[in-house]
């Protein structure tokens, strides 16, 4: 186990076997997260980032299957834990806020009932104490008139409000790791900004480490200490967010940063990465980004190992290899 790491993912491999072939959705992914750290896992749709989160939680459903690697949480391999141990970890130590907040809530029960049941599943508290704690949690995520909102049904709340409720429910048992899967998806720009402000605020008010899954590099810039860039089921680069913005190393990361910079600079023409995401059933040999990379070389037919650069970041690119 890496010294000081809360979560250590090592060579994680998750595959989907279908009639059309095998998709290596997560293909040898490794990273770690320290207590209290906020890490962004970013990449295009199909990069494997959400499957990575589901694999950590052991929530991958058939035809998906975790076929290799380790997920060490405080030194215990979750992939080898019993079902009861994993169920306990999901509710207490690690919590996942899913992408679709509406589907995470039961439409026929009030928010208060669902929060009360969540609290009582893992804590020995009576109804009054549970509801009092639910009010505190809704206040923590900045929901106005929290006591009144406990009587609301999910359909009566906005998307941004529902996102706050699911985050509050995830915080109910003081988790050590909070996984947010695309927390700003399907929200308008104003509500996105409010949710990001909430995430930043929570970092200073709760002790949980945060793994934030997103396709939007701008979200990572706003809310995280470090960024892990994924493409084609593999990690391309990891670096502190400030370094990633100023001097991206991997050609794919360069393209992502330039597209965000184009948006922020107000130019009407965006800087797009040429080409398209490869067919998951027919991935190119070696580096999955090679068909779109302007620096491609014959060596790229082999997947480069993660290289540690002089400035301390990790990059999977032959441009930074001694070879």
């Amino acid at each position: 186990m890496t010294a000081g790491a809360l979560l250590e993912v090592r060579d994680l491999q998750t595959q989907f076997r279908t009639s059309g072939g095998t998709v290596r959705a997560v293909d040898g992914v490794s990273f770690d997260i320290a207590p209290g750290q906020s890490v962004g896992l970013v990449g295009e749709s199909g990069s494997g980032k959400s499957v990575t989160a589901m694999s950590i939680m052991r929530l991958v459903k058939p035809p998906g299957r975790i076929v290799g690697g380790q997920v060490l949480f405080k030194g215990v391999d979750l992939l080898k834990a019993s079902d009861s141990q994993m169920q306990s970890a999901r509710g207490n130590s690690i919590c996942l806020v899913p992408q679709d907040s509406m589907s995470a809530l039961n439409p026929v029960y009030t928010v208060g009932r669902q929060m009360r049941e969540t609290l009582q599943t893992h804590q020995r508290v009576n109804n009054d104490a549970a509801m009092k704690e639910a009010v505190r949690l809704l206040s923590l995520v900045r929901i106005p008139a929290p006591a009144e909102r406990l009587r609301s049904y999910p359909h009566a709340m906005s998307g941004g409000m529902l996102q706050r409720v699911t985050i509050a429910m995830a915080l109910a048992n003081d988790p050590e790791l909070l996984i947010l899967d695309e927390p700003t998806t399907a929200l308008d720009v104003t509500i996105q900004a409010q949710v990001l402000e909430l995430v930043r605020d929570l970092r200073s008010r709760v002790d949980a480490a945060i793994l934030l899954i997103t396709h939007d590099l701008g979200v990572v810039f706003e809310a995280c200490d470090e960024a892990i860039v994924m493409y084609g089921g593999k990690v391309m680069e990891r670096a502190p967010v400030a370094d990633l913005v100023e001097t991206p190393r991997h050609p794919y990361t360069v393209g992502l940063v330039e597209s965000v910079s184009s948006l922020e600079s107000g130019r009407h023409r965006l800087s797009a990465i040429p080409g398209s995401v490869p067919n998951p059933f027919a991935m190119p040999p070696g580096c999955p980004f090679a068909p779109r990379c302007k620096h491609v070389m014959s060596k790229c037919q082999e997947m480069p190992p993660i290289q540690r650069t002089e400035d301390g970041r990790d990059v999977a690119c032959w441009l930074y290899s001694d070879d």
Side-chain angles (χ1 to χ4, degrees), residues 37-155:
Q37 187 179 27
S38 179
V39 176
L41 195 58
V42 62
E44 296 174 74
S45 296
S47 64
K49 57 191 187 297
S50 289
V51 179
T52 297
M54 298 300 282
S55 299
I56 291 170
M57 299 293 289
R58 253 176 59 185
L59 292 174
V60 177
K61 297 180 180 179
R65 190 164 67 97
I66 301 170
V67 299
Q70 294 180 302
V71 176
L72 301 171
F73 183 76
K74 299 173 69 174
V76 176
D77 190 352
L78 298 181
L79 302 186
K80 295 181 179 178
S82 67
D83 289 344
S84 61
Q85 288 174 320
M86 194 64 219
Q87 183 67 28
S88 176
R90 288 192 196 110
N92 290 317
S93 302
I94 311 173
C95 283
L96 170 69
V97 178
Q99 193 171 135
D100 184 356
S101 55
M102 178 62 83
S103 67
L105 298 170
N106 192 320
V108 302
Y109 295 135
T110 64
V111 165
R113 175 172 174 174
Q114 294 181 68
M115 292 191 70
R116 186 193 72 211
E117 290 179 349
T118 297
L119 286 159
Q120 291 180 327
T121 297
H122 299 279
Q123 300 178 30
R124 293 183 178 179
V125 292
N126 60 32
N127 288 347
D128 289 342
M131 296 303 279
K132 183 177 180 180
E133 177 63 5
V135 170
R136 185 190 74 83
L137 289 167
L138 292 187
S139 298
L140 182 66
V141 297
R142 298 183 180 179
I143 288 183
E148 296 177 18
R149 284 298 179 184
L150 290 178
R151 297 191 290 271
S152 298
Y153 288 87
H155 66 81

Side-chain angles (χ1 to χ4, degrees), residues 4-319:
L6 175 68
L7 176 75
E8 186 177 17
V9 178
R10 286 290 167 262
D11 195 30
L12 182 62
Q13 302 164 55
T14 302
Q15 299 178 358
F16 289 79
R17 295 176 180 174
T18 71
S19 58
T22 299
V23 175
R24 293 178 172 82
V26 179
D27 194 8
V29 166
S30 298
F31 62 89
D32 52 65
I33 300 176
Q37 187 179 27
S38 179
V39 176
L41 195 58
V42 62
E44 296 174 74
S45 296
S47 64
K49 57 191 187 297
S50 289
V51 179
T52 297
M54 298 300 282
S55 299
I56 291 170
M57 299 293 289
R58 253 176 59 185
L59 292 174
V60 177
K61 297 180 180 179
R65 190 164 67 97
I66 301 170
V67 299
Q70 294 180 302
V71 176
L72 301 171
F73 183 76
K74 299 173 69 174
V76 176
D77 190 352
L78 298 181
L79 302 186
K80 295 181 179 178
S82 67
D83 289 344
S84 61
Q85 288 174 320
M86 194 64 219
Q87 183 67 28
S88 176
R90 288 192 196 110
N92 290 317
S93 302
I94 311 173
C95 283
L96 170 69
V97 178
Q99 193 171 135
D100 184 356
S101 55
M102 178 62 83
S103 67
L105 298 170
N106 192 320
V108 302
Y109 295 135
T110 64
V111 165
R113 175 172 174 174
Q114 294 181 68
M115 292 191 70
R116 186 193 72 211
E117 290 179 349
T118 297
L119 286 159
Q120 291 180 327
T121 297
H122 299 279
Q123 300 178 30
R124 293 183 178 179
V125 292
N126 60 32
N127 288 347
D128 289 342
M131 296 303 279
K132 183 177 180 180
E133 177 63 5
V135 170
R136 185 190 74 83
L137 289 167
L138 292 187
S139 298
L140 182 66
V141 297
R142 298 183 180 179
I143 288 183
E148 296 177 18
R149 284 298 179 184
L150 290 178
R151 297 191 290 271
S152 298
Y153 288 87
H155 66 81
M157 304 178 79
S158 67
M161 197 77 75
L162 289 174
Q163 190 65 275
R164 292 169 186 266
V165 170
T166 54
I167 292 173
M169 292 176 70
L171 294 172
N173 296 297
D174 295 321
E176 294 174 83
L177 175 63
L178 182 64
I179 302 176
L180 304 174
D181 189 4
E182 297 279 8
T184 59
T185 295
L187 301 177
D188 64 44
V189 175
T190 301
I191 303 301
Q192 283 185 26
Q194 292 175 3
V195 171
L196 283 177
E197 184 180 358
L198 170 63
V199 173
R200 290 195 300 270
D201 181 52
L202 287 176
R203 291 183 56 196
S204 63
R205 299 173 67 183
V206 301
D207 295 328
I210 295 175
L211 177 61
L212 192 154
I213 314 295
T214 181
H215 65 278
D216 188 343
L217 197 55
V219 170
V220 175
F221 293 168
E222 291 287 336
C224 299
D225 303 317
E226 291 196 357
I228 300 169
V229 179
M230 285 189 68
Y231 186 86
K234 299 178 182 292
V235 172
M236 299 287 102
E237 182 170 0
R238 176 174 183 166
V241 169
D243 293 343
L244 202 77
V245 175
E246 294 298 324
T247 54
R249 300 295 191 196
H250 195 283
Y252 175 59
T253 312
V254 171
L256 287 181
V257 172
E258 287 181 348
S259 65
V260 173
S261 297
S262 296
L263 284 168
E264 292 178 345
S265 66
R267 296 202 304 266
H268 296 292
R269 186 177 182 83
L270 301 182
S271 176
I273 302 173
S276 58
V277 177
N279 183 342
F281 292 105
M283 295 294 289
C287 177
F289 188 64
R292 304 174 70 183
C293 182
K294 65 181 180 181
H295 300 290
V296 65
M297 60 187 89
S298 60
K299 188 73 171 174
C300 297
Q301 294 188 39
E302 302 173 36
M303 182 62 198
I306 295 287
Q307 309 284 335
R308 178 60 58 90
T309 63
E310 292 181 356
D311 56 0
R313 71 181 70 190
D314 296 327
V315 186
C317 184
W318 289 117
L319 291 173

